[in-house]
Amino acid sequence: MAKKVAQKKAPARKSRAKAPVEEEVVLDAEAEEEVKATRASGKSLVIVESPAKAKTINKYLGKAFVVRASMGHIRDLPKGKFGIDMEHGFDPQYTAIKGKQKVIAELKRLSAAAKAVYLAPDMDREGEAIAWHLREALELDESKTFRVVFNEITKNAILGAFETPGKLDMNKVDAQQARRVLDRIMGYKLSPLLWKKVAKGLSAGRVQSVAVRLIVEREREIRAFVREEFWRVTAYFELDGHKFHAELKRIGETRIDKNLDRKMAEELVAKIGGSPLLLAELEDKPKSRPPTPPFTTSQLQQKAATMLRFSAKKTMMLAQQLYEGVEVPGEGSVGLITYMRTDSTRVSQDAITDVRKLITSRFGEAYLPANPNQFRTKSKGAQEAHEAIRPTDAARAPEVLKAALTEDQLKLYTLIWNKFVSSQMKPGLATITTAAFVFGDARFVAQGEVEVFDGCTRVFGAAAVRPPSAKDAEGEERDSDAAHQSLPKSLKTGLNYKPNKVDPTEHWTQPPPRFSEATLVKELEKKGIGRPSTYAAIISTIQERGYVTSEQRKFAATELGELVIDLLVQHFGDVINTDFTASMETDLDEVENGHRVWQDVVKNFNDVFMKDLDKAEIDMKNWKREPTLSDKLCDKCGAPMAVLFNKRGKFLGCSKYPECKNTMGVDGPRPAREVVATDKICEKCSKPMVIRSGSRGRFIACTGYPKCKNTASVDDNGEVIKPKETGIACDKCQSPMVVKSSRRGPFLACSAYPKCRNAKPLPDELREKPKDTGIVCDKCGKPMVEKMSRWGKPFIACTGYPECKNTKKVGEEAEKSEEPAEARTSDGDV
């Protein structure tokens, strides 16, 4: 255990820099009235992060409190400016986030008028930091400012928290502040180096770069992998109408795994011929399938990814909604799960008591263990004061909430409810039967499983007890031999059994699989990189930066990602590695526990990083000045084209830059786009119109461009697609209103534009519902529908959007349907 160091604690932190003068924000009349009412009635102010949370909490606190939302963070390090005083203890220079001035002004007026102020953001580091920023920005009187934390948004938890309010935990604030400063130092110092050496717009992150490195290294393992052939021999039996199989496991003293070649396999099969095999051993063993603990954050993200195909980001968004409160008929806004950022498997005694009552009433005494099941938290440095993710009330079974939740909310809630209830049930019991057949020195083994008692698997339903795959109801791997068969009860040792056939089959070793979201989260957790609350952000960031792509739900590194990681590992290998990053996470935990000073942690990192940075400024290859030349020539000056990069990836640029600024894609110059003359005249400038082709299809445009930018969408026959008439008159000029399209979708616009610029949202009755096509998505299996693009052209899209973004042109789906079924089989996850 880390020894607590003596440290001189700084007083409540204020930014060294003077806060910028903010323009006065005038509150509207309603807000002013609320301030007066708060002052007159002596109400207390409660500040949370989100309106949903505010609504749920307000219901329990009653009229003596005013509950308001800060809408997340209100202060942060400045944009476009480093914002850290490196000469004075890494002091951060916080400023109000753009657009939050009105929120700050209203909260400041309300807090000044309130009897007391309760800061109630989430209970993790980020929530503590939000509470501290609120205290600093609102200039709260510490004597009347309190911190309240709760693990669930229920009446008892809320009232209990307000009965025993505390003060801010500055250790948590320091830990979050250290993380923010570390990330700012690396981002602001390293990104300009990448801009100078590789391409503008690139960035690198302290934790995200390590995650990309894992993906790059796995990609190279896959490329370097050499497939090797191996053979298996399987004997197939049928006894009393019962089919089963046994696999060759041993020849003499040699264990057969992936070391059997074709010659040996075929020789053995020929030797056996039509001979029977002797059943030498038959053994029954009991098998217990104990319940697993309720979810931690990382486990929830992994299971939601494998079972529901949710991204980590989507899982956390849905979990946040369930935590903060959902409208339940007859109850109002109700928090349905406990806090969703946790690495603890602990469960409160009250929750255990409630779920044990539910198990007895719903499943019977036979499923209830004599004593509650206890689980040990695996995560190093886990917050045992937190609880696992569980329903706030186990009596709210998923079927009860169908009308209150969206489809995806219900799926996630069901996953959480099932896991929690099963965690307090008795183990499932089965009998594993192992039969060993011999022929000479060849030993074949068959395994079968018979369920004796479903136990904790009961909660998942009958289909989940023995699924068709080698995964159980929770997605855990099962014994692959036993998962698919049971053995006949009439088998007896000492008897010969003739197989229907003995088959040799060819197999190939497989490369390590690419990371999925679930396996990447698992790897990050295993190596101690990041924390449960940061996994979703890490995964989103590495995709947004263009360093990795996700294909069929598996991550692959891009060329840009590989190039950047190679440079970072070469010049910052002592920072961009799993051990160093994991040790930094441990240091941050030590800060949170009060065992380390946050400035010391930042200094240790900064000393190593700046030394590497100074060296890299000199030694890192400049890909802009020393590019690799391709085999393609410039179509403008004939010089070789150089391989260059920008934040979107690789492209080719003329090696004679800046004399020649020609660029092209890696496949060479694009073919000239077709321009088709028409007999149409521009109604704006009277010049001829032509049909051009763009990245989004064909359109008609004025030849007077760029002075005249008149364009319109055209159909396949080159006819202008006219705006759809609505029969609605403009309320400003009485001209007909038509349906037009923009990047945000269709809207109502006046046909007299540009004289009249009246526009309105499209009424629901005019919105076209997607047309059912009867086609199934060849990527995820969900139905596909016909939609209209914002340019007025139909296309086919998957209803699984945004998880599945599969689209097709109208008519393309007919071509696809002509293919044989096996040609359309997805190569997705098994």
Side-chain angles (χ1 to χ4, degrees), residues 581-704:
T581 306
S583 70
M584 289 301 302
E585 293 295 343
T586 303
D587 290 343
L588 292 175
D589 290 342
E590 291 286 285
V591 173
E592 181 171 345
N593 295 332
H595 299 149
R596 296 203 60 178
V597 181
W598 75 269
Q599 290 93 338
D600 291 346
V601 173
V602 174
K603 184 178 186 304
N604 291 344
F605 170 83
N606 190 62
D607 288 347
V608 175
F609 175 66
M610 293 305 292
K611 182 180 175 183
D612 289 344
L613 186 67
D614 291 341
K615 198 167 183 297
E617 287 278 0
I618 301 167
D619 296 343
M620 185 182 284
K621 177 182 175 180
N622 192 316
W623 280 80
K624 288 182 173 180
R625 295 178 185 171
E626 309 166 47
T628 301
L629 297 180
S630 73
D631 57 356
K632 292 184 171 57
L633 299 178
C634 177
D635 55 341
K636 291 191 176 178
C637 72
M641 296 297 282
V643 177
L644 301 172
F645 292 87
N646 60 23
K647 63 181 179 180
R648 287 178 290 276
K650 187 165 74 171
F651 69 100
L652 300 180
C654 185
S655 57
K656 285 200 170 180
Y657 179 88
E659 288 81 11
C660 178
K661 298 180 180 179
N662 188 28
T663 62
M664 63 177 69
V666 291
D667 296 325
R670 291 179 181 173
R673 287 177 175 170
E674 181 184 19
V675 177
V676 179
T678 72
D679 57 0
K680 295 179 174 60
I681 301 298
C682 176
E683 68 271 19
K684 292 185 177 180
C685 70
S686 301
K687 289 192 176 180
M689 302 283 281
V690 294
I691 293 176
R692 297 181 179 273
S693 296
S695 58
R696 298 181 177 94
R698 301 203 317 161
F699 64 98
I700 193 166
C702 180
T703 54

Side-chain angles (χ1 to χ4, degrees), residues 96-158:
I97 294 172
K98 187 177 180 181
K100 290 295 180 80
Q101 283 82 0
K102 186 174 181 180
V103 173
I104 293 172
E106 184 176 351
L107 292 176
K108 187 177 280 192
R109 295 288 301 277
L110 279 170
S111 61
K115 175 183 173 183
V117 179
Y118 294 88
L119 303 175
D122 290 344
M123 60 192 298
D124 59 0
R125 291 177 192 166
E126 202 73 21
E128 206 71 24
I130 291 174
W132 177 70
H133 282 299
L134 284 166
R135 190 184 76 180
E136 299 297 295
L138 305 182
E139 300 174 343
L140 299 178
D141 180 350
E142 290 191 38
S143 65
K144 71 168 192 175
T145 302
F146 304 94
R147 175 76 167 115
V148 287
V149 293
F150 30 81
N151 185 57
E152 58 188 64
I153 304 179
T154 59
K155 186 174 183 179
N156 289 342
I158 298 300

Side-chain angles (χ1 to χ4, degrees), residues 764-801:
D764 289 341
E765 60 269 18
L766 292 179
R767 293 185 182 275
E768 290 190 13
K769 294 183 179 179
K771 298 177 184 176
D772 187 20
T773 63
I775 301 164
V776 174
C777 177
D778 54 359
K779 290 188 177 179
C780 73
K782 291 189 176 180
M784 298 193 79
V785 293
E786 183 177 313
K787 292 186 175 182
M788 196 68 69
S789 75
R790 59 175 176 262
W791 297 278
K793 297 179 181 179
F795 68 99
I796 308 295
C798 179
T799 54
Y801 181 86

Side-chain angles (χ1 to χ4, degrees), residues 234-249:
T234 308
Y236 295 90
F237 298 87
E238 184 171 357
L239 181 63
D240 301 334
H242 200 109
K243 292 181 179 180
F244 64 99
H245 63 270
E247 191 170 324
L248 178 68
K249 293 295 184 182

